[in-house]
C-alpha cells in the first residue's frame, strides 16, 4: 500500500517548468499571430494548450514506475498529443467561421512548446516526444530551466521561487522580446497604408 503523503512528496519533485511558465510561452506565441486578428479567446486557449499536457501529473498519483507511458512526461507530452490537443480545442472552442489556418497554427505551436520546454528543464526522466511511435525519452544537452517543485515546506518553497526566477529569465524575457518584435513588424506593415492615407501637400 502506497502512503499518499509520501507519494505526494515524491511528486513534488516533478521535473517541469511551472504552469505559469508554460502559460507565458503560450501567450508569447499568440502575440506573433496578432497581425492575423485572431479571435480574442485565442489568448486564453493558447495558454491552455501550452499547459494541458501537465494533466498527466495526476496520473502520477497512481503507483506507476517513472518511465510508464502514462506517467508524467510520457505520451501526454508527445508531439502527437500536442497535435490532438490543438485540434480538439480548435474544433470545440471556435465557430466554423473562426476556424482559420492561423488560429490552428497558433494553438498547435503553443501545445508543441510544452514538451520542448520540459526537454530544456533539468532533472527527472526525458520527454517522450515521439510516443506512441517511439518510447525513447529526449532531453536537451543544454538545460537552463530548473525543476519547479510544489511549494510544500520551506525548502521546496525556496526552490519553487528560484525556479520562477529562472523561468522569468529564460521564458519571460524572450516572451517580451517576441511580443515587442511582433508589434514592430505589425507597425512596419501598417506604415505604408498610413502614409497613403495622408493627402500629398500641393506645395
Amino acid at each position: 500500500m502506497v502512503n499518499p503523503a509520501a507519494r505526494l512528496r515524491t511528486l513534488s519533485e516533478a521535473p517541469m517548468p511551472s504552469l505559469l511558465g508554460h502559460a507565458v510561452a503560450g501567450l508569447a506565441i499568440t502575440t506573433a499571430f496578432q497581425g492575423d486578428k485572431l479571435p480574442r479567446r485565442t489568448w486564453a486557449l493558447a495558454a491552455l494548450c501550452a499547459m494541458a499536457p501537465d494533466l498527466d501529473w495526476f496520473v502520477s498519483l497512481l503507483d506507476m514506475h517513472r518511465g510508464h507511458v502514462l506517467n508524467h512526461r510520457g505520451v501526454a507530452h508527445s508531439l502527437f498529443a500536442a497535435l490532438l490537443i490543438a485540434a480538439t480545442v480548435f474544433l470545440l472552442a471556435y465557430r466554423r467561421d473562426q476556424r482559420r489556418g492561423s488560429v490552428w497554427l497558433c494553438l498547435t505551436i503553443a501545445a508543441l512548446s510544452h514538451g520542448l520546454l520540459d526537454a530544456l528543464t533539468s532533472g527527472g526522466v526525458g520527454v517522450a516526444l515521439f510516443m506512441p511511435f517511439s518510447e525513447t525519452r529526449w532531453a536537451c544537452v543544454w538545460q537552463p530551466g530548473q525543476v519547479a517543485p510544489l511549494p510544500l515546506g520551506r525548502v521546496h518553497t525556496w526552490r519553487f521561487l528560484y525556479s520562477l526566477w529562472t523561468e522569468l529569465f529564460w521564458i519571460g524575457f524572450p516572451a517580451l522580446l517576441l511580443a515587442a518584435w511582433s508589434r514592430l513588424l505589425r507597425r512596419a506593415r501598417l506604415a505604408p497604408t498610413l502614409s497613403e492615407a495622408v493627402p500629398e501637400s500641393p506645395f
Side-chain angles (χ1 to χ4, degrees):
M1 183 70 178
V2 178
N3 186 326
R7 186 65 177 164
L8 187 60
R9 284 194 297 270
T10 300
L11 292 176
S12 69
E13 298 287 347
M16 59 183 178
S18 70
L19 289 177
L20 177 62
H22 287 300
V24 168
L27 294 174
I29 290 166
T30 308
T31 64
F33 288 86
Q34 283 309 296
D36 297 315
K37 297 181 179 180
L38 304 183
R40 290 185 179 179
R41 70 189 68 180
T42 306
W43 289 94
L45 293 174
L48 176 65
C49 286
M51 295 185 292
D54 271 343
L55 287 173
D56 66 359
W57 184 87
F58 293 99
V59 178
S60 300
L61 292 172
L62 304 175
D63 190 18
M64 296 179 177
H65 62 83
R66 297 183 72 188
H68 194 281
V69 63
L70 296 179
N71 216 330
H72 187 61
R73 286 190 168 189
V75 67
H77 280 55
S78 68
L79 302 182
F80 180 70
L83 293 175
L84 287 180
I85 291 170
T88 301
V89 172
F90 180 73
L91 292 174
L92 296 181
Y94 292 91
R95 300 190 306 269
R96 183 168 298 180
D97 61 306
Q98 295 176 323
R99 295 173 189 167
R100 305 196 308 269
S102 56
V103 174
W104 177 84
L105 185 60
C106 177
L107 297 177
T108 300
I109 295 176
L112 291 173
S113 72
H114 188 109
L116 299 179
L117 284 178
D118 273 12
L120 285 165
T121 304
S122 63
V125 296
V127 182
L129 290 176
F130 298 105
M131 278 190 180
F133 309 106
S134 171
E135 295 187 5
T136 303
R137 300 291 180 124
W138 298 83
C140 294
V141 176
W142 180 58
Q143 296 179 313
Q146 299 296 315
V147 171
L150 295 177
L152 302 176
R154 180 178 299 179
V155 174
H156 281 171
T157 298
W158 281 112
R159 288 180 58 191
F160 178 77
L161 293 175
Y162 177 71
S163 71
L164 289 183
W165 165 249
T166 62
E167 289 179 18
L168 174 65
F169 188 83
W170 294 111
I171 300 177
F173 289 158
L176 288 176
L177 290 176
L178 178 59
W181 178 251
S182 300
R183 184 178 179 85
L184 287 174
L185 288 180
R186 290 198 300 273
R187 295 184 67 177
R189 284 201 300 265
L190 288 174
T193 305
L194 293 176
S195 62
E196 291 170 3
V198 178
E200 294 184 1
S201 172
F203 302 101

